[in-house]
Amino acid sequence: MAHFNICFYERAIRRERVFKDRLNPLEVLSEKELLEKLRFPRHAIQELAIDLEEHLRPETLRNFSISPLLQVCLALRFFATGCFINTAADLIGVHKSTASRIIHRVACALSGRLPLYPTDVSTLNKVKADFFNIAGFPNVVGAIDGTHIRIQAPSTHEPLFVNRKGYHSINVQAICDAKLRVLNCVARWPGSTHDSRILVNSRIHDAFERGELQGVLLGDSGYPLKPWLLTPFLNPVSVPQARYNTAHTKTRNVIERCFGVLKRRFHCLHAELKMKPEKVCNIICACVVLHNMARDLALPDLEDDQICEEPTLEITEAGGEDGSGRYIRQMIVENIFSV
């Protein structure tokens, strides 16, 4: 009995020490510090923890289980800074392996909440109006582009992840609106995959092909010209075509800015993610969900958020254009940009 009491006492002391070391950032950080370190204000973090509680709630209170709130704080710290996992673990006083599991768990919970492309007429009309106000380009429901997220060399299929710039990455396709909010995201293709191939194999491609979405996307010359996907003229031969290209560039620039804002707010996407590709894809999707949350809350951008990614020009793959796409583009040139 005496031995049992001693063991019980030792466990109680250990539990008290663990919980003492496990600090709650919301209790020790100011509102400004929370925005700097976790990228969200106190009330938003609390609401997010409540929202994800079903996925993050521990099955038992034994073994010093970690609350959903602390799990969200730890994951946000990693997403915001891209620091080493053991550095993020120090935020709440847990082991590196525990922090790794938490980051993966929170990322999976968030990635399941990726936005679905709006289909109701009123929302699409609002998106079209916002795009039109930029440079007078009509009927635009989104700007599309790809961005590369650097990863460490994977142990399997390593050559597939080497992109055209020579480093390992995940090629992420995204579509955003004029307010820099991501409407659609595909994050599952290795870095060597061409942008047009990602598009052709995506659900959004099939939705536009079936006519389920009304309007046009704007993409760079790495995409095929289609009736619902307009690209610039590679060699404009008239003033109206030059005007079209100028309006196209100004309007499509929002996707470059969107990537810049996303990577500045969540610096883990700017650095090299030292994880397996599958986990990296979940983290990318989680950051996209959090990015939209930040846009909805109208949170202030970081100082250099306005620095957009450097645009890259690619030659469209052979056979990418079709006659109806050229016809639609020419009609826009004649009816909108010839005046």
Side-chain angles (χ1 to χ4, degrees):
M1 177 65 75
H3 176 71
F4 173 79
N5 289 336
I6 292 175
C7 292
F8 180 82
Y9 177 75
E10 290 178 347
R11 286 198 299 268
I13 293 296
R14 181 168 170 242
R15 177 182 292 272
E16 182 179 355
R17 187 183 301 117
V18 168
F19 282 106
K20 185 177 180 180
D21 293 338
R22 193 175 291 167
L23 298 175
N24 183 347
L26 300 192
E27 296 177 355
V28 297
L29 298 179
S30 67
E31 199 71 38
K32 180 180 179 181
E33 289 173 325
L34 286 173
L35 284 173
E36 291 176 351
K37 297 178 182 295
L38 306 185
R39 299 295 193 258
F40 287 94
R42 182 174 283 100
H43 72 89
I45 296 173
Q46 292 170 333
E47 292 174 2
L48 182 61
I50 294 173
D51 205 24
L52 299 179
E53 184 175 6
E54 180 182 351
H55 302 279
L56 305 180
R57 185 192 302 117
E59 296 180 0
T60 175
L61 296 179
R62 299 172 60 188
N63 299 325
F64 317 116
S65 58
I66 303 171
S67 68
L69 179 61
L70 293 185
Q71 294 183 54
V72 168
C73 289
L74 189 153
L76 288 178
R77 178 61 173 166
F78 177 78
F79 298 155
T81 63
C83 58
F84 290 110
I85 291 180
N86 55 356
T87 304
D90 291 341
L91 180 72
I92 63 172
V94 297
H95 191 268
K96 180 174 69 172
S97 60
T98 302
S100 178
R101 290 193 295 270
I102 288 174
I103 292 169
H104 179 61
R105 189 182 305 130
V106 174
C108 288
L110 285 169
S111 63
R113 299 170 179 239
L114 273 178
L116 297 176
Y117 212 95
T119 55
D120 58 289
V121 176
S122 59
T123 301
L124 288 179
N125 286 341
K126 177 65 168 58
V127 172
K128 292 177 183 179
D130 290 338
F131 273 115
F132 185 82
N133 290 334
I134 296 176
F137 210 106
N139 205 33
V140 179
V141 295
I144 184 172
D145 201 1
T147 188
H148 289 269
I149 305 301
R150 187 186 293 264
I151 64 172
Q152 69 176 359
S155 57
T156 58
H157 306 297
E158 179 269 339
L160 291 177
F161 291 87
V162 180
N163 62 30
R164 65 182 183 275
K165 296 183 179 179
Y167 62 85
H168 299 85
S169 68
I170 300 293
N171 193 357
V172 181
Q173 173 185 285
I175 302 172
C176 77
D177 63 17
K179 304 297 184 182
L180 309 189
R181 198 175 188 280
V182 177
L183 303 176
N184 181 263
C185 178
V186 178
R188 60 186 179 89
W189 291 87
S192 64
T193 311
H194 195 278
D195 288 352
S196 63
R197 183 184 177 191
I198 298 176
L199 174 64
V200 170
N201 288 277
S202 66
R203 294 180 181 177
I204 204 71
H205 173 276
D206 296 339
F208 273 102
E209 286 288 308
R210 292 193 297 263
E212 296 173 5
L213 292 172
Q214 299 299 317
V216 298
L217 299 177
L218 299 185
D220 62 21
S221 56
Y223 290 101
L225 176 63
K226 291 181 175 291
W228 50 268
L229 175 54
L230 299 180
T231 59
F233 290 94
L234 291 178
N235 298 293
V237 295
S238 65
V239 172
Q241 287 185 1
R243 290 175 183 166
Y244 167 95
N245 272 11
T246 300
H248 186 285
T249 300
K250 288 182 179 180
T251 308
R252 196 191 67 85
N253 181 257
V254 296
I255 188 62
E256 308 289 353
R257 290 176 53 214
C258 178
F259 287 143
V261 170
L262 174 66
K263 292 183 178 182
R264 297 295 183 189
R265 190 179 298 279
F266 302 108
H267 203 268
C268 69
L269 303 182
H270 220 324
E272 180 182 80
L273 284 165
K274 301 181 183 301
M275 299 178 179
K276 293 182 179 180
E278 301 79 19
K279 291 187 176 182
V280 171
C281 292
N282 281 327
I283 288 176
I284 295 169
C285 294
C287 289
V288 167
V289 173
L290 293 171
H291 165 82
N292 282 352
M293 179 178 167
R295 303 305 296 180
D296 292 340
L297 292 171
L299 297 182
D301 294 335
L302 304 184
E303 285 186 6
D304 46 358
D305 267 351
Q306 297 306 315
I307 300 177
C308 59
E309 288 203 334
E310 181 181 355
T312 56
L313 294 179
E314 303 177 46
I315 302 301
T316 305
E317 292 184 329
E321 295 188 0
D322 60 30
S324 55
R326 288 193 295 272
Y327 174 79
I328 294 296
R329 184 171 65 177
Q330 189 59 35
M331 287 299 98
I332 292 177
V333 169
E334 294 178 1
N335 296 326
I336 305 296
F337 298 105
S338 295
V339 179

